[in-house]
Amino acid sequence: MHKSDVVIIGAGLAGIMAAAQASEAGASVLLVDRGGVGLGTNSAMSNGYFCGPTDEYSLESYVEDTIDTGRGLNRRSYVERVGAQARAAFAYLAELGVPLTTLTKMYAAPTPRQDVIRGVSMMSALGKALRGRQGLSALTGLQVRRLLKRGDRVVGLEGLDAQGEVQHVAAKAVILACGGAGAVYAVNDNMKAIMGQGYTLAAQAGLPLMDLEFVQFYPLVLVEPGLPPVMLYPPYPAGSRLLNAAGEDILERHGLDDVNLAIQGLRDKLSIIIAQEARSGPVRMDFTQVAGEHWDKYPLGLLSHMSYDFRARGVAIMPGAHFCMGGVEVDAQGATALPGLFSCGEMVWGLHGANRRGGNALTECLVSGRLAGRGAAQYAQDADLADPPKTDTAPPSLATSVQGNPLRRLRDRLREITWQRAGIVRDGENLGQGQKELAAWSGELARAQAANPRQEWLRWDLECGGRFVAGVMAGSLARRESRGALLRQEHPGQDDQAWRTNSRLELGPEGAWSVSHQAVEG
């Protein structure tokens, strides 16, 4: 059995920040991840922009702009906390080898190479900075499946390793840094195993999840056959065009002048426009009129690795699931309502409200990661390292032979259900139909067999994904308005009088979600 003062589930930017701060506070730290540290995460796929106060942009303006983007559903005290601690977090990031360039309202990670994603460079530098740090170790190749408790206190975790063996880890404090759930959608730009596992861990342990219905879509994700489904990174140089199947300029048709401005101010509208145009044929991002000097610069320099002639023809794109605004509530130390359990990054609710402001995801990773790391280390000073309770969990039984891979088919089916029934624009009829389809899908998943440990990992990923999607559908049906990233077709307006509330979803013993609402803080 592995033992540590602080155990962190997830090794993206938030998890690494938590690990750095907890180890500096004197705690022994164990980073747990199914993949590697840093590069196998959504943080490595990021464009490296951080939103926050600058000398030209006040804390008060940052707070109000963030709440305006979130359409008033943000948790004001948490927005203020993130804004107040952002600049110290940026300075700390520089100490770890990632100095940021200050813009007017943003900060940008460095681009040592014009053909490498900023997030990759950033996470590589952070991994190097933490390597060999005293008191900090990593346990990779473990899929965490359950938080272990003694009474009401979290004292460790249970997981399945790559050989199919059940493993236990004891801890004085556990930090959830598991990321979101974007890969439950047929079109997304997330790492493909990000299916809401952290939300399941929290909900199974008894925590409510807030505002799950709010899922953000990025308008420009590659769907060209043979190319990776990643976002086309902004900013887009002059000459960039969006063309429909008839070759018409979509921006001109809808009175939009520039794709950068459209994404900054009308991201949700642009996603709807592209999705509607795609019904008549592929929508293409066209760079054929972009001047030659841009092709060796970031971000178009990233396209040089792809086997596609972007200079000669447009490339098929669609809006893709990008970010989940909901999650768990934490206090000023990053602690959840469960003693011994902390959380950070996309797992945390409150900063974004009904829609995330560009650059705030990475800022939140920095600030909330540092808070959770310090808070967990302080909690661990006064806690005993209790052995987790004995469990009767046996290694899963694997089928001797399975024809094909039914779990991959079920993964594809889950993504289609989510995309069709709980996608960019939702309505009661489709959501209700989606719940029926999801119930039938869950029955198939229960009967499906895994032939090896990796397939068993996929089975549990799908259980988590299905549970998350059920929460999205339940929260969406309960909210009868359109607000931020939630667009209800039969309820097109924002209704502050009736619906300026946060949804609260709790997982029942039979696996069903109950939904209630509470008044917005402040």
Side-chain angles (χ1 to χ4, degrees), residues 16 186 198 221 291 374 386 390 396 406 430 484:
I16 284 178
V221 174
R374 287 196 299 260
K390 293 182 185 282
N430 267 301

Side-chain angles (χ1 to χ4, degrees), residues 344-481:
C344 56
E346 195 171 346
M347 279 289 306
V348 177
W349 159 80
L351 177 63
H352 311 292
N355 212 354
R356 181 189 65 89
R357 186 180 178 197
N360 261 344
L362 293 184
T363 300
E364 180 175 38
C365 284
L366 290 183
V367 174
S368 67
R370 297 184 76 206
L371 288 172
R374 287 196 299 260
Q378 184 175 4
Y379 177 90
Q381 290 178 359
D382 301 319
D384 62 307
L385 186 59
D387 284 338
K390 293 182 185 282
T391 68
D392 57 1
T393 306
S397 57
L398 302 175
T400 54
S401 65
V402 176
Q403 190 171 18
N405 189 341
L407 292 166
R408 287 190 178 181
R409 177 182 59 79
L410 287 168
R411 179 187 60 192
D412 294 343
R413 177 61 180 147
L414 174 64
R415 288 172 172 164
E416 283 301 321
I417 291 172
T418 312
W419 181 257
Q420 296 295 334
R421 307 302 185 187
I424 299 168
V425 179
R426 304 171 198 167
D427 62 76
E429 182 179 350
N430 267 301
L431 288 165
Q433 182 62 30
Q435 289 180 321
K436 294 176 183 177
E437 293 171 354
L438 192 60
W441 175 90
S442 297
E444 288 188 60
L445 178 63
R447 295 187 295 272
Q449 294 180 307
N452 54 57
R454 289 289 179 178
Q455 288 187 15
E456 182 58 34
W457 276 21
L458 177 55
R459 180 206 297 280
W460 195 77
D461 289 344
L462 294 178
E463 289 181 13
C464 295
R467 191 170 290 116
F468 174 80
V469 173
V472 171
M473 290 179 176
S476 300
L477 276 169
R479 183 175 292 277
R480 298 180 180 178
E481 66 159 356

Side-chain angles (χ1 to χ4, degrees), residues 237-240 287-296 300 311:
S240 303
F287 296 123
T288 60
Q289 296 184 9
V290 171
E293 65 265 20
H294 291 287
W295 289 97
D296 295 324
L300 289 194
R311 300 191 192 204

Side-chain angles (χ1 to χ4, degrees), residues 254 269-281 283 318-319 425:
H254 290 273
K269 179 180 179 182
L270 185 59
S271 291
I272 294 171
I273 290 171
I274 293 172
Q276 290 174 336
E277 292 279 2
R279 294 172 184 169
S280 302
V283 173
M318 275 285 285
V425 179

Side-chain angles (χ1 to χ4, degrees), residues 278-345:
R279 294 172 184 169
S280 302
V283 173
R284 298 187 179 276
M285 186 70 168
D286 183 90
F287 296 123
T288 60
Q289 296 184 9
V290 171
E293 65 265 20
H294 291 287
W295 289 97
D296 295 324
K297 299 178 182 178
Y298 193 93
L300 289 194
L302 300 173
L303 305 181
S304 62
H305 293 299
M306 298 184 188
S307 56
Y308 192 85
D309 192 352
F310 292 91
R311 300 191 192 204
R313 62 187 190 275
V315 63
I317 56 94
M318 275 285 285
H322 184 62
F323 190 87
C324 301
M325 272 72 76
V328 299
E329 182 177 353
V330 297
D331 66 13
Q333 286 73 48
T336 72
L338 272 176
L341 184 64
F342 296 73
S343 190
C344 56

Side-chain angles (χ1 to χ4, degrees), residues 480-497:
R480 298 180 180 178
E481 66 159 356
S482 291
R483 184 187 294 264
L486 175 64
L487 305 170
R488 284 291 305 270
Q489 188 164 306
E490 69 271 56
H491 303 290
Q494 178 175 307
D495 185 354
D496 280 344
Q497 184 172 353

Side-chain angles (χ1 to χ4, degrees), residues 6 18 109 136 165 181 204 208 227 230 244 247 249 268 305 336 436 520:
V6 175
L136 174 58
E165 296 297 323
Q204 286 181 334
L227 296 184
V230 297
N244 63 15
D249 190 311
D268 302 314
H305 293 299
T336 72
K436 294 176 183 177
V520 172

